[in-house]
């Protein structure tokens, strides 16, 4: 009789029904600009009825899901039962990974311990500011959801990943754990995904397992694809959305530059959350240690002021200008104390005469010397999304007209250097450094404007001619002989 009952026992069924894909995208991105009914800081939906509508109902416990085919209640039990089957060998890492699995409301904020032997074809790529980067193949892949019918994890298999080690992370550091925690708190589609942690068996360094981006960073992408101008506003809009998500989570990035914007199949991702921390972190005000890439750093940060959200906006302005001009900022000069002084005195990278007026105006607002005058990430996101929509839907709009002129100019310039490889022609000063490092410059002047860039007016009927660039001229700064003498006297006090 028991055998007969077992034969007719009802098999587990999939009951994930009623999932609303359109609303799902809005909710997981947190951004209130995409759905005004969502509060800025909501990470997952609290209202049970709305969760049923968006995520459906779990076929095992009949409770609303917390993410796409994801039930936090059931999955946490499964993960907990499996804790005895793995360990990283480090108590802090074990606790962090276990916490993520017990509390994951979505597959993107569920981290795994991944034994190093699970990877294939591990290959060294490059060295960053604080560690090494490798590529690898991961045949087994990451967890996506629990297959109720077959009672097993459904995985995204055969993934190519990046393995990021931090220097001396065999003795696990606070910085390493903080970067992992940032990925748990900011699991947006515009932020590079972290799958979990592994350990190099030779060096014993712990490594983050991240999404691999075939096209490299945004600088590599535009240098290799100089003809692709149609997507620039769209790509900047995605970057602004990612930055908005970071700020909505109460964080600041603190190391925001083009090298940390990665590209894969035309999609951009913000990466390197190593210095990402609370916007109200009291430690910032007590530490005068400044890290970053000098050309992208706001003048008040160089002066040692607390890093606030507006400093990320300044960096976004530098990113936007480089992307449109396709000129690396300050690549022809040493990134030293003199350049830091010039930036504090109002020096900014040149804005190309090709740049559409609306874009140039927004760039200058972002790098305004007064942090309070810069737009917020929400305003940036709204402006760029509006422009992007107008480019595709409103051919009478000003941004469409200006972008069409921009593209024609870029195409003509590209034709003149047909057959040349621009990436091979970029001349960079040997002391121009584009990886993050300690920049403790002393005795920098109070940040000021060299002039009033916003007072410059473009010709409203056309993009400025190539004969002159008034914007570039008004943003340039010259140091007097007295300034240079003062710099020489102060160099002994500079900590590098």
């Amino acid at each position: 009789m028991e055998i007969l009952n077992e034969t007719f026992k009802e098999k587990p069924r999939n009951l994930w029904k009623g999932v609303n894909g359109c609303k799902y995208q809005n909710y997981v991105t947190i951004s209130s600009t995409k759905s005004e009914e969502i509060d800025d800081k909501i990470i997952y939906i609290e209202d049970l009825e709305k969760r049923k509508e968006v995520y459906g109902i779990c076929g095992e416990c009949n409770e609303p899901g917390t993410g796409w085919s994801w039930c936090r209640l059931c999955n946490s039990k499964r993960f907990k039962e499996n804790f005895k089957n793995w360990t990283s060998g480090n108590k802090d890492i074990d606790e962090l990974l276990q916490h993520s699995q017990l509390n994951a409301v979505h597959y993107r904020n569920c981290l795994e311990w991944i034994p190093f032997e699970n990877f294939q074809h591990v290959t060294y790529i490059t060295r960053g500011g604080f560690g090494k980067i490798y590529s690898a193949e991961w045949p087994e892949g990451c967890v996506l959801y629990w297959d109720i019918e077959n009672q097993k994890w459904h995985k995204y298999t055969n993934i190519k990943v990046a393995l990021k080690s931090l220097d001396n992370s065999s003795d696990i550091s606070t910085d390493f754990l903080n970067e992992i925690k940032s990925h748990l708190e900011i699991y947006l589609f515009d932020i590079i995904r972290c799958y979990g942690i592994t350990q190099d068996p030779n060096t014993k360094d712990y490594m983050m397992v991240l999404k691999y981006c075939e096209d490299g960073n945004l600088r590599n992408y535009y240098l290799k694809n100089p003809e692709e101008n149609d997507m620039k506003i769209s790509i900047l809009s995605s970057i602004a959305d990612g930055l908005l998500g970071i700020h909505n989570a109460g964080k600041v990035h603190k190391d925001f530059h083009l090298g940390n914007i990665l590209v894969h199949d035309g999609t951009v991702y913000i990466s390197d959350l190593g210095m990402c921390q609370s916007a109200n972190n009291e430690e910032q005000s007590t530490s005068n240690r400044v890290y970053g890439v000098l050309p992208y750093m706001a003048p008040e940060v160089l002066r040692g002021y607390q890093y606030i959200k507006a400093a990320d906006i300044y960096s976004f302005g530098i990113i936007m200008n480089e992307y449109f001009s396709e000129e690396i900022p300050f690549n022809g000069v040493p990134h030293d104390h003199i350049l830091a002084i010039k930036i504090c005195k109002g020096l900014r990278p040149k804005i190309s005469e090709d740049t559409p007026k609306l874009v140039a105006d927004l760039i200058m607002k972002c790098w305004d010397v007064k942090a309070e005058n810069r737009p917020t990430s929400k305003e940036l996101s709204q402006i760029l999304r509006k422009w992007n929509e107008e480019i595709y839907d409103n051919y009478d709009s000003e941004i469409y007209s200006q972008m069409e002129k921009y593209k024609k100019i870029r195409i003509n310039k590209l034709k003149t250097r047909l057959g040349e490889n621009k990436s091979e022609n970029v001349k960079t000063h040997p002391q121009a450094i584009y990886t993050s490092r300690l920049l403790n410059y002393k005795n920098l002047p109070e940040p000021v404007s060299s002039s009033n860039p916003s007072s410059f007016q473009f010709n409203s009927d056309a993009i400025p001619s190539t004969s002159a660039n008034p914007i570039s001229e008004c943003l340039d700064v010259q140091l007097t002989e007295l300034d240079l003498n003062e710099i020489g006297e102060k160099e002994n006090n500079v900590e590098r």
Side-chain angles (χ1 to χ4, degrees):
M1 182 64 70
E2 290 181 359
I3 296 176
L4 185 63
N5 289 338
E6 189 68 28
T7 301
F8 288 97
K9 185 177 180 181
E10 185 177 2
K11 292 183 179 180
R13 292 174 298 160
N14 271 322
L15 296 176
W16 291 105
K17 296 181 180 180
V19 177
N20 188 325
C22 296
K23 288 190 175 182
Y24 166 75
Q25 174 67 14
N26 290 339
Y27 284 101
V28 298
T29 55
I30 308 176
S31 169
S32 65
T33 60
K34 291 187 177 179
S35 178
E36 291 302 327
E37 63 187 294
I38 307 172
D39 183 80
D40 278 355
K41 295 185 180 179
I42 287 181
I43 295 178
Y44 90 104
I45 307 168
E46 297 284 356
D47 183 83
L48 293 181
E49 291 303 317
K50 194 169 288 293
R51 274 168 51 192
K52 288 180 184 178
E53 177 188 352
V54 178
Y55 298 131
I57 299 174
C58 174
E60 292 185 315
C61 68
N62 293 318
E63 290 295 321
T66 57
W68 179 73
S69 295
W70 193 275
C71 176
R72 181 174 62 177
L73 179 63
C74 292
N75 288 346
S76 65
K77 292 177 181 178
R78 275 184 278 273
F79 284 125
K80 188 172 184 179
E81 290 173 357
N82 192 49
F83 285 171
K84 62 181 179 294
N85 296 324
W86 63 267
T87 180
S88 68
N90 179 280
K91 180 175 178 292
D92 292 332
I93 289 181
D94 283 357
E95 289 179 352
L96 178 60
L97 296 178
Q98 289 172 5
H99 177 79
S100 82
Q101 293 175 4
L102 292 175
N103 293 280
V105 297
H106 186 272
Y107 68 86
R108 288 183 68 90
N109 71 333
C110 173
L111 303 182
E112 305 177 54
W113 171 252
I114 309 165
F116 195 82
E117 58 266 25
N118 289 11
F119 299 111
Q120 298 178 358
H121 309 298
V122 179
T123 306
Y124 174 78
I125 300 177
T126 188
R127 178 172 184 80
F130 304 105
K132 299 182 180 70
I133 309 292
Y134 301 81
S135 66
E137 295 175 6
W138 186 19
E140 181 185 16
C142 64
V143 165
L144 282 181
Y145 62 87
W146 180 256
D147 183 342
I148 298 175
E149 186 174 2
N150 296 302
Q151 290 291 287
K152 65 178 183 179
W153 288 110
H154 180 82
K155 298 190 173 185
Y156 178 35
T157 58
N158 297 313
I159 305 173
K160 189 168 184 180
V161 296
L163 306 179
K164 176 183 177 181
S165 70
L166 294 187
D167 294 334
N168 302 316
S169 61
S170 57
D171 180 17
I172 199 68
S173 67
T174 302
D175 291 338
F176 183 89
L177 294 176
N178 284 345
E179 182 162 1
I180 298 293
K181 290 175 182 177
S182 293
H183 280 282
L184 287 176
E185 295 170 359
I186 311 168
Y187 52 99
L188 312 178
F189 285 109
D190 302 305
I191 307 296
I192 200 71
R193 184 178 174 190
C194 180
Y195 300 109
I197 303 176
T198 190
Q199 185 180 33
D200 187 323
N202 296 318
T203 65
K204 303 303 180 184
D205 284 341
Y206 288 98
M207 312 171 85
M208 281 171 275
V209 184
L210 304 161
K211 178 181 177 66
Y212 181 83
C213 293
E214 291 284 353
D215 298 308
N217 64 45
L218 188 55
R219 180 176 297 134
N220 293 336
Y221 183 76
Y222 78 65
L223 288 173
K224 292 178 181 177
N225 301 278
E227 73 286 353
E228 293 192 12
N229 297 300
D230 290 333
M231 296 296 293
K232 287 192 172 179
I233 294 294
S234 176
I235 284 177
L236 286 170
S237 178
S238 295
I239 298 171
D241 285 346
L243 185 59
L244 173 62
I246 292 172
H247 288 180
N248 279 347
K251 302 281 189 177
V252 286
H253 190 284
K254 293 193 70 178
D255 193 21
F256 204 39
H257 57 85
L258 218 66
N260 283 339
I261 309 296
L262 304 182
V263 187
H264 183 79
D265 287 340
T267 302
V268 292
Y269 302 91
I270 297 176
S271 70
D272 203 342
L273 305 183
M275 291 194 287
C276 188
Q277 60 183 246
S278 170
N280 298 315
N281 193 336
E282 294 182 0
E283 291 181 5
Q284 291 191 60
S285 60
T286 60
S287 173
N288 60 357
R289 296 167 67 85
V290 177
Y291 292 89
V293 178
L294 180 55
Y296 295 86
M297 298 177 69
E300 71 271 13
V301 174
L302 294 175
R303 282 269 296 158
Y305 293 176
Q306 182 173 342
Y307 197 107
I308 60 175
K309 294 176 181 179
D312 280 340
I313 301 300
Y314 178 95
S315 301
F316 184 90
I318 303 294
I319 289 171
M320 185 160 45
N321 185 57
E322 176 177 350
Y323 192 30
F324 264 87
S325 69
E326 298 188 0
E327 299 293 339
I328 302 173
F330 303 133
N331 69 316
V333 298
H335 293 180
D336 57 11
H337 192 206
I338 292 177
L339 178 58
I341 290 175
K342 283 190 172 187
I343 290 172
C344 288
K345 289 197 169 189
L347 178 66
R348 302 291 184 269
K350 291 183 178 181
I351 296 179
S352 170
E353 63 273 7
D354 309 340
T355 304
K357 178 185 183 303
L358 288 172
V359 175
D361 287 345
L362 186 57
I363 289 169
M364 288 188 290
K365 288 178 182 177
C366 288
W367 63 33
D368 194 293
V369 69
K370 294 183 179 180
E372 62 270 21
N373 290 342
R374 300 168 196 161
T376 65
S377 53
K378 183 174 182 179
E379 290 169 339
L380 278 178
S381 178
Q382 290 173 331
I383 291 169
L384 289 164
R385 188 177 297 113
K386 179 176 180 291
W387 286 353
N388 195 44
E389 291 171 353
E390 290 179 348
I391 286 171
Y392 290 100
D393 298 332
N394 184 0
Y395 298 157
D396 294 326
S397 66
E398 186 63 28
I399 188 62
Y400 175 83
S401 174
Q402 291 185 18
M403 282 299 297
E404 286 300 298
K405 292 175 183 177
Y406 169 78
K407 287 187 290 184
K408 288 178 182 178
I409 293 172
R410 301 302 298 184
I411 290 172
N412 289 334
K413 284 189 173 182
L414 181 60
K415 288 179 179 179
T416 63
R417 63 174 190 264
L418 191 63
E420 295 181 5
N421 185 339
K422 183 177 180 182
S423 62
E424 293 179 356
N425 294 330
V426 174
K427 303 298 183 182
T428 301
H429 194 283
Q431 295 178 41
I433 302 171
Y434 293 93
T435 55
S436 298
R437 59 192 175 118
L438 178 62
L439 297 170
N440 271 0
Y441 297 124
K442 301 296 184 181
N443 303 308
L444 293 178
E446 190 70 23
V448 296
S449 296
S450 60
S451 63
N452 183 11
S454 63
S455 66
F456 176 78
Q457 297 296 320
F458 276 106
N459 183 323
S460 60
D461 297 324
I463 292 176
S465 68
T466 59
S467 60
N469 189 353
I471 290 185
S472 300
E473 292 169 3
C474 78
L475 292 179
D476 198 7
V477 172
Q478 298 296 324
L479 294 184
T480 66
E481 185 175 351
L482 178 60
D483 291 326
L484 295 173
N485 289 336
E486 289 178 353
I487 292 170
E489 293 173 359
K490 294 173 180 176
E491 280 293 337
N492 290 333
N493 297 321
V494 177
E495 295 182 16
R496 298 190 183 277

